[in-house]
Amino acid sequence: RFHLILAQRGVEAENTTEVKHHLTGHFLTLATEQEKKIAQEAVELAEKGDFHEAEHEIEELLNR
């Protein structure tokens, strides 16, 4: 949960590096297969510059 919150802050700052670091570097090590898919989608959206949609993906993970 901690890394999801930090990733969400990265989205708010439109900082793709932070989003990627917290999701792929930390969150994915403990995530379920379904959570990994959602997190990967969030990273891909951030890499495309679609921070609004990336935030929705992270919110989905936070609400699980």
Side-chain angles (χ1 to χ4, degrees):
R1 183 159 172 83
F2 175 70
H3 289 288
L4 290 174
I5 292 168
L6 293 177
Q8 188 173 38
R9 290 184 184 162
V11 164
E12 291 168 359
E14 296 187 358
N15 185 328
T16 302
T17 303
E18 284 296 307
V19 174
K20 191 171 183 177
H21 170 78
H22 290 292
L23 290 181
T24 61
H26 298 286
F27 179 74
L28 289 182
T29 61
L30 301 173
T32 66
E33 286 303 312
Q34 183 61 29
E35 290 170 336
K36 287 178 183 180
K37 290 177 186 177
I38 297 167
Q40 194 60 40
E41 180 67 21
V43 169
E44 289 173 13
L45 288 163
E47 289 176 331
K48 293 177 186 176
D50 192 348
F51 293 99
H52 179 76
E53 290 300 321
E55 185 172 23
H56 287 298
E57 299 297 325
I58 293 170
E59 287 173 359
E60 182 177 341
L61 290 168
L62 282 167
N63 291 327
R64 287 179 162 253

